[in-house]
Amino acid sequence: MRHRRLSGVIVLILVLTSSLLAGCAREQDDGRTLTYWASNQGNSPQQDRRILNEEFEKFTARTGIEVDVEVIGWGDLLNKILGSAVSGVGPDVVNLGNTWAASLQATGAFVPFTAERMRQLGGRERFLETSMSSTGMPGRPPSSVPLYGLSYGVFYNKAMFREAGIEQPPSNWSEFVDVARRLTRPSQEQWGMTLAGASYTENAHFAFMLGNQEGAQLFDSDGRATFASPSMVSGVQRYVELMSEYEVVNPDDAEIGSATEAVGNFATGEAGMLVAQNSAIAAIRAAGMEDSQWGVFPLPVPEPMPEGGEAVRSHVAGTNIAVYRNSENKEAAVELVEFLTSAEEQSILNEKYGSLPVVTDAYDNPAFDTEALRTFSSVLADSSKQVPMIPNENRFETTVGAAVRDLFARAGTDRSVSRSDIADVLDEAQQKMRSGGGSTR
Amino acid sequence: MTVTSTAQAAPPSGAEPDGPRRRRPRISKRSVPYLLLAPALFFELLVHIVPMLGGLWMSFLRLNQFFLREWMSAPFTGLDNYRFALDFDGAAGVELLQSFGVTAAFSIITVGVSWVLGLAAALFLQRSFPGRTLLRGLFLVPYALPIYTSVMIWKFMLDRSDGMVNATLSDLGLGGERFWLLGNNAFLSLTITAVWRLWPFAFLALMAGLQSIPTDVYDAAAVDGAGLWQQIRTITVPMLRPVSQVLILVLFLWTFNDFNVPYLLFDQAVPSSANLISIHIYQNSFLTWNFGLGSAMSTLLLLFLLVITAGYLMLTSRRSRNA
């Protein structure tokens, strides 16, 4: 009798538990409101919300569809996307880093942009070819489309260049190192350049760019990681030895965890150069530096170019936009993507954020005809290469990025990092990537 | 509360002036405890048991980005994730072993130092003196502060270029250019931050324990010529054993599972010298999207802590019986 009563209580609890869990299902909405997770592109989430809401008023006036915006920092965005992919509860439209495109495509969380949907956006040919190369795995319809275009360039402090008697920006890597040396005055706490040594994403990008300049391929024809190849070691060595060998980077930079912090060093005159994406322009301005005080030149390449090396001056950087498969308003969501990728909105938003339009018909705006943005757009169009569009791209970033971070930690503390040290940590990263432990299909 | 189930008398025929009569719910006396426990059981299931079983099931799956949306359909791989995590010839196994060693050292040092500091502070505040209440409140500040605030304070203090620690060392002529958040010093920074947060809890628990020791025991010892150190060694520590046993176990479980302190102190760039097992599991789950492997590592950690806890409780209860 007692057992029956106890089992009755347990059954009751299980029923209550399951009904409560079922209650977590996505609530119905009115079909006239879209939820949009926007990445933090500006100086602050508040600024982003203000900029976006101004534009969405137009969208609502034209379509009657309201947009509820939530601005999410880059540090949290990927985890939030993953969480919503698992739970099925999330926004209708989302921004993502374009290097995650293939990894997130593998989750099946996003609606594919079929030929018909691309026609709705004005056709694939409207978009920059380089930006379209980072929208998902090759041979499949894109699962996201470009929204904001970015590329790397070298920002330099004009006054510091003049003071050091440097008349021309460097045109190759050895000149770049020489210029950095001439700008470095540790006694005055002035350094040739600044970098985010503890940021695994930044480190992975540099390993990719400089590795490609040396002729490295991240994966062989069988898709196996080749991070420890001599050319990759040379690329990473060139980056790390800016701190360890040439001492043109403040060892404190080994602790810098984001590009934004490095921007602060550049804007305050602690460093003469900064290799960053054009999104840094807004942060440089916010830090009080006038546009006339800085210039930009493309990331230099070695001269002569190593065998097999490519003149890669940036990876194809940028922010994409995707529609969730679980959205109950897919058509409205695609309408929102259509609106944000229109020539008018591309012109307005990219001007405000200091990024580059990803559609060719938005470049009529004279705001994009500055010397700096011309440099970034020509790098994006002509000398950038997309990171491998494979489902495990995120593993490349974490393994190689963390390996380079550890090298900077060593360079910052005892300043001696040999080629074999670099080979060892890259080999370890390669082993981790190859072993995978069930991270492949 | 008494609930009786008496048979109701048959209602008189005809309309009732007070409306239909309600039947009182029939709840037997024996059901009451179960019903009272039900809400707690329900939430225990919801918050603890169901997610834990879910995690255990995930550890047998190849759960990566390909199957995230429909994780129940992820391929069943048996013990593959466990084999991979414990393969000490592979990169993941070596890293797991390293982080296990770091975590064990971190936990033992943190718990040991917290207990000693807590005991010293509790003994110090046993005697009455002006300002004792204020000091007692001050000692509890690190424990009362939100974890984010307290770790961020340490992060700023340990910064190489602008931190107070290096500035102080520089003023003392001891060299103020050390990295505290990189390299091997990171372990020391992590331990100091964790001790700073935990020792007030030890202090609080031991202070409560000290209240239960009769003062005449100390008086008798003093008459016999026992000094302060002897009194602590032969009276205080043995009589605090029951409190200390529970305290050490709780502190050990907290520190062994600690994720917040290293994550807040180093962000995602945790140096290998401070790479605790919780961070290692996080990296394998959320940075490389290998949730099956992460779940297997979590299960292994749970089993290890269960074994350690059981062993510790057996050992301490045996000692108590022999004492």
Side-chain angles (χ1 to χ4, degrees):
Chain A
M1 188 71 193
R2 185 181 295 181
H3 287 305
R4 197 179 304 165
R5 208 172 290 118
L6 183 62
S7 59
V9 170
I10 288 170
V11 166
L12 177 73
I13 288 165
L14 285 171
V15 167
L16 282 171
T17 307
S18 58
S19 62
L20 198 79
L21 288 171
C24 294
R26 187 191 179 89
E27 59 186 46
Q28 291 286 323
D29 57 35
D30 56 5
R32 309 303 296 161
T33 303
L34 292 172
T35 308
Y36 177 40
W37 282 359
S39 53
N40 179 198
Q41 298 290 139
N43 295 329
S44 67
Q46 292 79 4
Q47 186 206 34
D48 280 2
R49 245 192 313 274
R50 203 173 49 248
I51 289 172
L52 290 169
N53 280 330
E54 273 175 29
E55 302 312 307
F56 290 146
E57 279 172 20
K58 291 185 223 167
F59 178 70
T60 306
R62 288 176 204 170
T63 61
I65 301 164
E66 300 273 346
V67 183
D68 183 10
V69 185
E70 187 182 340
V71 180
I72 300 167
W74 282 106
D76 302 320
L77 186 58
L78 188 54
N79 274 350
K80 288 205 72 163
I81 293 174
L82 281 178
S84 59
V86 175
S87 64
V89 180
D92 299 286
V93 183
V94 68
N95 287 173
L96 57 134
N98 68 350
T99 57
W100 312 336
S103 300
L104 286 171
Q105 187 178 38
T107 66
F110 300 145
V111 167
F113 280 88
T114 55
E116 190 187 333
R117 285 205 176 98
M118 287 307 291
R119 271 197 298 279
Q120 195 180 331
L121 305 184
R124 189 188 171 105
E125 61 284 352
R126 270 188 72 228
F127 292 84
L128 292 183
E129 202 180 322
T130 44
S131 296
M132 278 307 292
S133 69
S134 289
T135 52
M137 286 178 259
R140 288 206 203 176
S143 61
S144 57
V145 291
L147 183 64
Y148 307 119
L150 297 167
S151 66
Y152 273 98
V154 185
F155 291 86
Y156 68 97
N157 183 316
K158 288 181 177 177
M160 284 168 74
F161 265 47
R162 269 196 307 274
E163 215 175 293
I166 303 158
E167 292 169 7
Q168 288 288 328
S171 59
N172 61 48
W173 188 261
S174 56
E175 279 182 26
F176 174 71
V177 173
D178 182 56
V179 162
R181 277 171 146 172
R182 287 163 66 184
L183 291 169
T184 302
R185 291 168 196 157
S187 58
Q188 297 172 31
E189 296 207 354
Q190 181 182 304
W191 301 87
M193 69 171 290
T194 181
L195 50 82
S199 162
Y200 77 85
T201 48
E202 287 285 307
N203 290 338
H205 296 162
F206 278 96
F208 172 77
M209 293 185 291
L210 302 183
N212 268 280
Q213 290 179 6
E214 296 286 334
Q217 296 297 323
L218 294 180
F219 300 92
D220 63 17
S221 52
D222 299 326
R224 294 194 329 149
T226 51
F227 303 158
S229 67
S231 357
M232 192 70 181
V233 172
S234 298
V236 171
Q237 185 174 8
R238 269 172 45 212
Y239 188 43
V240 174
E241 69 187 6
L242 290 169
M243 184 187 285
S244 63
E245 175 75 18
Y246 301 115
E247 302 187 3
V248 296
V249 174
N250 186 345
D252 287 352
D253 288 8
E255 277 185 351
I256 293 181
S258 74
T260 316
E261 285 177 72
V263 167
N265 286 345
F266 174 73
T268 54
E270 277 179 49
M273 292 187 286
L274 161 75
V275 187
Q277 295 173 16
N278 41 307
S279 51
I281 293 174
I284 290 170
R285 285 173 183 158
M289 216 172 173
E290 300 288 332
D291 285 12
S292 58
Q293 294 177 296
W294 53 267
V296 178
F297 60 88
L299 180 71
V301 297
E303 206 174 275
M305 191 67 82
E307 194 182 336
E310 298 172 83
V312 173
R313 299 176 191 272
S314 176
H315 76 289
V316 177
T319 304
N320 287 3
I321 186 166
V323 172
Y324 265 90
R325 199 182 283 271
N326 288 328
S327 168
E328 289 168 2
N329 307 310
K330 287 190 191 66
E331 293 318 308
V334 175
E335 269 187 81
L336 180 64
V337 175
E338 184 188 352
F339 171 77
L340 289 170
T341 54
S342 67
E344 181 194 2
E345 288 309 309
Q346 278 288 296
S347 179
I348 293 168
L349 290 172
N350 284 294
E351 182 184 350
K352 286 182 176 172
Y353 287 136
S355 45
L356 297 165
V358 292
V359 289
T360 50
D361 47 3
Y363 275 87
D364 301 338
N365 184 344
F368 302 119
D369 201 23
T370 64
E371 194 183 335
L373 286 182
R374 275 200 304 275
T375 303
F376 283 113
S377 63
S378 79
V379 166
L380 180 61
D382 306 323
S383 355
S384 62
K385 184 179 177 179
Q386 84 270 26
V387 295
M389 283 288 120
I390 53 167
N392 283 337
E393 192 281 334
N394 59 317
R395 276 181 70 79
F396 151 71
E397 288 200 22
T398 50
T399 53
V400 172
V404 177
R405 178 201 70 203
D406 291 349
L407 290 169
F408 273 122
R410 199 177 309 181
T413 44
D414 61 17
R415 298 227 137 196
S416 63
V417 179
S418 67
R419 189 177 168 85
S420 68
D421 291 335
I422 297 170
D424 286 349
V425 297
L426 287 176
D427 185 56
E428 202 178 312
Q430 178 177 282
Q431 278 183 49
K432 280 185 205 171
M433 184 81 189
R434 284 186 180 182
S435 58
S439 67
T440 53
R441 200 173 186 109
Chain B
M1 175 175 166
T2 340
V3 184
T4 51
S5 61
T6 50
Q8 299 292 325
S13 57
E16 291 180 355
D18 300 332
R21 179 180 290 189
R22 280 199 203 147
R23 289 187 63 180
R24 294 182 68 182
R26 295 176 54 154
I27 302 170
S28 78
K29 209 171 182 176
R30 285 180 178 173
S31 305
V32 173
Y34 297 116
L35 288 170
L36 291 174
L37 279 173
L41 268 174
F42 167 69
F43 283 106
E44 178 65 16
L45 270 174
L46 189 72
V47 176
H48 255 146
I49 309 296
V50 171
M52 206 163 73
L53 292 174
L56 183 65
W57 176 244
M58 282 179 195
S59 71
F60 300 115
L61 305 176
R62 191 195 299 149
L63 184 58
N64 52 34
Q65 65 264 47
F66 294 100
F67 305 100
L68 272 182
R69 286 182 72 243
E70 289 165 357
W71 67 271
M72 293 294 279
S73 65
F76 184 83
T77 57
L79 295 173
D80 277 6
N81 286 323
Y82 291 91
R83 269 193 286 269
F84 184 79
L86 296 171
D87 173 16
F88 300 126
D89 293 329
V94 168
E95 261 200 298
L96 182 71
L97 205 59
Q98 279 172 345
S99 64
F100 181 84
V102 168
T103 310
F106 165 73
S107 300
I108 291 164
I109 295 169
T110 303
V111 173
V113 174
S114 297
W115 185 85
V116 170
L117 283 177
L119 180 63
L123 288 169
F124 177 64
L125 291 186
Q126 244 197 318
R127 294 211 171 91
S128 184
F129 58 86
R132 182 173 75 152
T133 313
L134 175 72
L135 212 54
R136 191 182 287 169
L138 279 176
F139 281 179
L140 291 174
V141 166
Y143 187 64
L145 275 178
I147 184 165
Y148 185 86
T149 311
S150 56
V151 177
M152 281 299 146
I153 290 168
W154 277 100
K155 191 173 179 167
F156 289 134
M157 281 174 23
L158 293 163
D159 187 87
R160 181 179 188 254
S161 50
D162 307 313
M164 201 181 86
V165 173
N166 271 349
T168 308
L169 288 172
S170 180
D171 291 345
L172 295 171
L174 298 170
E177 290 206 334
R178 287 188 184 86
F179 275 102
W180 294 103
L181 301 174
L182 291 177
N184 292 337
N185 285 344
F187 179 80
L188 187 62
S189 305
L190 176 69
T191 309
I192 289 170
T193 310
V195 166
W196 188 78
R197 283 202 68 253
L198 277 185
W199 80 265
F201 180 77
F203 155 70
L204 205 60
L206 292 167
M207 196 168 61
L210 283 175
Q211 308 301 319
S212 63
I213 303 175
T215 49
D216 51 359
V217 180
Y218 289 108
D219 295 340
V223 168
D224 289 342
L228 178 67
W229 175 241
Q230 251 184 316
Q231 287 179 24
I232 291 170
R233 205 165 47 82
T234 56
I235 300 169
T236 311
V237 173
M239 291 189 90
L240 279 176
R241 183 170 290 155
V243 174
S244 293
Q245 281 172 357
V246 176
L247 176 69
I248 286 168
L249 180 64
V250 168
L251 290 180
F252 182 79
L253 292 176
W254 283 354
T255 52
F256 213 93
N257 278 313
D258 197 359
F259 175 82
N260 295 328
V261 174
Y263 190 78
L264 291 171
L265 202 58
F266 308 108
D267 299 319
Q268 291 182 342
V270 180
S272 18
S273 68
N275 197 27
L276 300 188
I277 206 154
S278 56
I279 294 287
H280 183 66
I281 291 170
Y282 167 81
Q283 286 167 343
N284 274 285
S285 305
F286 289 92
L287 295 187
T288 57
W289 303 4
N290 203 339
F291 294 93
L293 179 63
S295 300
M297 288 176 174
S298 297
T299 308
L300 289 170
L301 176 64
L302 177 71
L303 289 173
F304 170 77
L305 289 176
L306 280 174
V307 169
I308 288 286
T309 306
Y312 176 83
L313 290 175
M314 277 166 60
L315 197 73
T316 49
S317 60
R318 191 177 303 155
R319 272 195 191 162
S320 300
R321 276 198 305 271
N322 295 342

